[in-house]
Structure formats: C-alpha cells, structure tokens
Amino acid sequence: MGQSTSWTPPEVAPGAELRACLPVEGWRAAMGVIAARHGLDTASLEPFAGGSDVVWACGDRVVKLTDPRCSWQLAAEADWLERLAGRTSLATPRLIDMGELEGWPYLVLSLLPGRALGEFWPALPYDERRRLAADIGNFIAELHGVDPSDAPRTWPDFWTDCRERAPVRDLGDPRLPDWARPLAEEVGSFLEAEGPLDAQRHVCLHTELLDQHLFARERAGRVELCGVLDFADGRVGPAEYDFPPLADFVFRGEGDLLRTCLEAYGRPGVELNHGLARRLLAWGLSHRFGRLQRMLAAVAPSRPRTLDELATLLFGLD
C-alpha cells in the first residue's frame, strides 16, 4: 500500500501536551508524509518518548514537528544549529531541511550518536560524575566563547517577562508540599534583594542544559560526552543563566559537582561562594522553565526553611 500524502492535524488546547493530542498512529501518519517528502525510509520511523515537540527517528535522521504557535522556536533552533555547527567539541544535530505540513513547521535533522546523559548518570560512580561535570563546564565555556555579535537579540523583553512571572509562578503549584508554601511566598522578596542579575557579559546560551539534552556514549570503558541537542530556546544573554538547570536536572543537589563544573568553566575559586549560590538560585527561580518544586526535589529529603538555605543545599558553594 502506498504512503498517504495527506494528514489532518489535531486541535491543540493551550497548555496541552502536544504528543497526547493524537494517538501514536496519527503522528506516524504525519511523519510518514514528511519522510516520504524527503526521501527517507518510512519503515524505520520510531517515536522518541520525551520532549515537548513530536520527535521521531527515521534511520539516521530525526524529524521534529511542532504546533504552528511554536513555529518561532523551530526557526530559532534552525538558526542556532547552523550558527554553532562545528564550533564546539560536542556534536550538534546538522540541519538537513525544514518545511511545513498542513501549516505545522518541522525540521529534518541528523541523528546524534549516543544516548541521553540521564540514561547513564544514576549508575556512574562519583569520580566519573565529577569528570563529566568538568567536561560539561568545558563545553559551556566553548559555547559561551562563540561570537554572538550577529545573533538575534531578544533578551530584554524575554527577561522582563521572566521576572514578572517569577514571584507568583510557584504560589499555585499543586505539587508544592504544604511545608514549602512559605518558600514560594518568599520568592518576590528574595529576587528583589538579589537585584537585576543581568548586568553582565552576554553570550550564546543554550538555556536548557538538561540530562535529556546532553548526549554521551561509552568509549574505551568509560562514558564520554558526545553531543548536545535542542537549541529551540537558544538566545544571547547573561552567562549565568545557563547554570541553574544543571543543578536541577543533572547534578541534583550534588553541589560539589557544580563547583567542579564552574571551575572547569573558568570561574575563579574565590567567586564560588554563598553570594554566587544565592544569585544562581535567583536565576533559577526566574528561569523560564524554573520550578521551586523541582529544586526542592533535588535536595530531598532535606527541607530548607528559607530560600537562603535552599541556595546552600542546591548549589553547594559555601
């Protein structure tokens, strides 16, 4: 039977999880149309489980499809992938092509080698985690060293929106335990005390350095970083904005690993103190995807009584 050349996109309610808006066979139909359009092997289509977009592997290619309301993110990712190609020691997906299907934007990318770092991390001994923390710091230094002079500048409006949302975002989070409600109420005053934060050097940012976006593989008996993906939220902004997600998603309360990462990045030891921990927490609380509940989960079973205590537990720079 021939491959269908049409597809009916779903209705997507605001806030809905995109992948849940169609059964897997509905997304397979879309991916089949795109694969056929670009001469890819439709028989090899397989969905990836995670991510906010609909992402499928197709042999040595990846197709990334998203809601038209997020078309700007795919356009930004295409721009960043071309801008950063070959500029760091970690591989990034190569942009093969881009297009639209029934108004839905998509990218066709090369498939990165390896697997998500998070698949390796829990089983790694401490010395291996520490080595990888240094490698992450080295990569961030490379990324931040790429000349941003001709990149789009969107920071002022983006940061204004982040800071306006931050003081109230966690107040209504149903996942936040009752004992932590006073911490959510403290966010506004904590951010005010830390000041504007962004009066520093602006660099090329990834913004979401998560254990799902950093890739690794086994080589010569050890796990090594090999790639990084998902630059849909890449932008030019202050360097410190890239570090808080590492504490939540990768190091998960192992503050000495963050210290190792920052040292490899090039921060002098004298700067790795409680003042920086507070500032990184302020960045994390203001981050577009920052969540107090996730930060508290990273330091469990500890129950910090104040945000100052949380800064100590999460970033470990005292």
Side-chain angles (χ1 to χ4, degrees), residues 110-144:
S110 63
L111 180 69
L112 279 183
R115 294 181 284 142
L117 179 61
E119 296 183 30
F120 295 98
W121 195 263
L124 291 174
Y126 172 78
D127 286 348
E128 291 294 285
R129 297 199 306 276
R130 190 168 186 271
R131 176 179 56 79
L132 288 166
D135 291 344
I136 293 169
N138 288 328
F139 161 71
I140 299 173
E142 293 173 350
L143 174 63
H144 290 183

Side-chain angles (χ1 to χ4, degrees), residues 234-262:
R235 65 184 69 246
V236 175
E240 288 177 356
Y241 188 82
D242 254 345
F243 288 95
L246 291 169
D248 293 9
F249 287 93
V250 182
F251 305 142
R252 300 182 186 182
E254 287 191 281
D256 54 333
L257 298 185
L258 178 67
R259 176 180 290 274
T260 296
C261 177
L262 287 165

Side-chain angles (χ1 to χ4, degrees), residues 11 15 35 51 66 76-77 94-95 151 182 190-191 193 195 209 227 233-234 248 266 268 285 308:
E11 294 291 330
T66 198
E77 179 159 22
R94 182 165 55 94
L95 179 65
F190 184 88
L191 294 179
L209 290 170
D233 288 287
D248 293 9
L285 292 168
D308 190 72

Side-chain angles (χ1 to χ4, degrees), residues 7-13 16-22 26-27 30-31 33-34 37-38 52-55 63-72 74-75 98-108:
W7 173 68
T8 302
E11 294 291 330
V12 182
E17 182 181 351
L18 190 58
R19 286 177 291 112
C21 293
L22 274 182
W27 294 121
M31 293 299 171
V33 174
I34 296 170
R37 179 183 292 177
H38 294 275
S52 55
D53 299 307
V54 180
V55 185
V63 178
K64 186 173 186 177
L65 177 71
T66 198
D67 184 336
R69 287 173 291 191
C70 298
S71 60
W72 62 272
L74 288 200
M98 57 194 305
E100 290 188 356
L101 177 64
E102 301 297 334
W104 282 53
Y106 67 82
L107 303 179
V108 181

